Amino acid sequence: MARAITPRSRKVRVLATLGPASNTPAMIAKLFEAGADAFRINMSHGDQQSKVAVIQAIRALEKSHGRPTTILADLQGPKLRVGRFADGRVQLAPAATFVLDRDPTPGDACRVELPHREIFDAIERGARLLLDDGKLVLRVVEHDADRIVTTVEIGGPLSNNKGLNVPDVVVPMAALTDKDRSDLAFAIEAGVDWIALSFVQRPEDLAEARKLIGGKAALLAKIEKPAAIDRLEEIVEMCDAVMVARGDLGVELPPQAVPPLQKRIVETSRRLGRPVVVATQMLESMIKSPSPTRAEVSDVATAIYDGADAIMLSAESAAGDWPVESVAMMNAIGESVERDPMHGDRIRFTVTRPDPTTADALAEAAKNIAVTISAKAIICFTTSGSTARRVARERPSVPLLVLTPKMETARRLGLLWGTHAVHTRDVDSFEEMVAKAKRMALRQGMVKAGDRVIIMAGIPFRTPGATNVLHVVGIIGDELKGFG
């Protein structure tokens, strides 16, 4: 039986990355209590065995707090790196010639190995190569099957195995490496709720991951390559959620290009009904400082005003000095923005026209009816979560209480705007549906005597994708007995 839970007072979700500063059971509990709705496990760092205890600690919150917990496993993806140097480090001078080749011999200030054949096949004259998160810039002047000759445009120190970005061409690399496949299999076996796929460039990149997941988790596409923007709608349609991964996106594009793209990705995801997460450097200064800059607060607020489903902390909560404080700050910003009387108008700036389906028509109607009759909540009965996603896309002015008999559905909804998911037994009749909806709304503290709620469900019951009922009911005084 579901236990009484106090819903969050804000609708935007907070996704916190776990790491050395926050991966103990005590710290995970503190992050949850400070406002974390979901937890990201970065598969790029540490081994698989070290993740087991972290996943178990997150799941333990379900028993101690009576709330489904949400876990996202973020795969490393095909990270491009240069080879090693004989002295471990070199200095590249501006205007110098620097060669990347396929020779595994340790490099020097004139050359280094590039162990990625795909780049040699795809590179073009005039293309840029960005090293060490864009700190160094090379320009290709000539190339063949084994060598890429470049001119150093922006020099500096370069050390072993630093990352490389190729923003000007699409590199035909598999979206999943051998490490990713191993990590994905581990994550599915461990029962995570979301798999995040890194460096997505084409909708086809999602196919293998989707097949390996086999319906046992939801798939999130990280948009961090310029090539992904060219096929953005196709990619969004192929996945279950999207992340605006501003880290690598900001390396491969000029900084001023990222804000418009962020808005475009958020708008596209919302229009197509996919949850969207905004991530990277949101409260970066809180890695070392107990308070953020005003610019960072404004950045977070902008994502919330744009209607993002979730906002994410990376190193702030994973490796920073103030992990709990950074989550609490995200929570406080979310609450403050949502108290703004103009918040509702701003998040509906994106037009989300319903598809010509009964379920979409009812979702839009529920949003409008809630305003007209001053309802206190919309209550969805769902098996797959699709009804909840449709309603959340409309950004209703009232909380969305989601009742589902499937724990995996309740857990996945932790990234969805405005939802409070409860794992509970299914219903078999219309009368039982109404009684349970009232009872659960009371138990969650969402309503009182005289309030009205909107119920959405599908008849026949236990039939996924059959949403066809919208019902308005009032809470009467006698129903409050036992809930005082």
Side-chain angles (χ1 to χ4, degrees), residues 122-406:
I123 202 66
E124 298 173 357
R125 184 175 179 179
R128 292 168 299 151
L129 299 178
L130 311 180
L131 298 166
D132 194 9
D133 290 336
K135 296 183 181 69
L136 292 81
V137 179
L138 312 179
R139 183 76 63 173
V140 177
V141 294
E142 62 178 273
H143 62 93
D144 58 32
D146 298 308
R147 296 171 78 248
I148 300 173
V149 181
T150 73
T151 297
V152 179
E153 291 193 347
I154 300 177
L158 181 64
S159 55
N160 294 337
N161 306 127
K162 283 298 183 181
L164 178 142
N165 293 79
V166 190
D168 299 331
V169 298
V170 176
V171 180
M173 298 185 68
L176 292 171
T177 65
D178 290 342
K179 171 179 167 54
D180 292 330
R181 294 186 187 92
S182 175
D183 287 342
L184 190 153
F186 161 79
I188 294 299
E189 179 67 24
V192 307
D193 310 299
W194 287 88
I195 298 292
L197 190 62
S198 297
F199 303 113
V200 173
Q201 298 186 87
R202 307 165 292 262
E204 294 83 0
D205 290 342
L206 300 164
E208 183 183 1
R210 179 74 78 185
K211 182 178 179 180
L212 292 174
I213 291 170
K216 295 178 181 178
L219 178 61
L220 179 147
K222 294 170 66 179
I223 308 299
E224 50 196 329
K225 300 285 287 183
I229 303 300
D230 297 332
R231 303 184 68 181
L232 181 61
E233 289 209 9
E234 296 172 83
I235 290 171
V236 174
E237 288 176 341
M238 285 282 291
C239 65
D240 301 306
V242 173
M243 181 183 291
V244 188
R246 303 182 303 181
D248 277 86
L249 195 61
V251 170
E252 300 204 1
L253 290 168
Q256 66 271 19
V258 175
L261 285 179
Q262 174 177 317
K263 290 184 179 294
R264 178 179 167 188
I265 297 166
V266 170
E267 185 273 335
T268 301
S269 301
R270 287 194 53 199
R271 180 166 45 81
L272 296 178
R274 303 297 192 275
V276 56
V277 182
V278 176
T280 317
Q281 295 182 328
M282 301 210 82
L283 297 177
E284 186 84 353
S285 66
M286 288 193 74
I287 295 173
K288 294 298 181 182
S289 171
S291 61
T293 67
R294 302 303 178 266
E296 288 167 339
V297 173
S298 180
D299 177 46
V300 174
T302 295
I304 299 170
Y305 279 120
D306 286 346
D309 289 80
I311 44 182
M312 192 182 98
L313 293 164
S314 299
E316 302 98 325
S317 59
D321 295 338
W322 307 93
V324 177
E325 290 79 4
S326 64
V327 170
M329 179 55 64
M330 281 288 212
N331 180 72
I333 297 169
E335 291 180 343
S336 178
V337 169
E338 292 179 9
R339 284 195 298 267
D340 178 3
M342 296 301 296
H343 171 253
D345 292 334
R346 293 183 186 279
I347 61 170
R348 296 188 192 97
F349 183 78
T350 295
V351 177
T352 53
R353 293 186 176 88
D355 292 333
T357 64
T358 300
D360 267 26
L362 292 179
E364 184 181 39
K367 177 195 71 175
N368 295 331
I369 292 171
V371 173
T372 302
I373 68 171
S374 298
K376 295 301 180 183
I378 298 173
I379 305 171
C380 291
F381 287 82
T382 183
T383 301
S384 66
S386 62
T387 302
R389 289 190 294 273
R390 287 186 173 97
V391 177
R393 185 179 73 160
E394 300 300 322
R395 298 300 189 255
S397 58
V398 298
L400 177 58
L401 175 59
V402 182
L403 306 179
T404 178
K406 297 185 68 174

Side-chain angles (χ1 to χ4, degrees), residues 50-61:
S50 67
K51 309 292 193 300
V52 174
V54 174
I55 292 171
Q56 291 174 344
I58 299 170
R59 291 298 186 222
L61 293 172

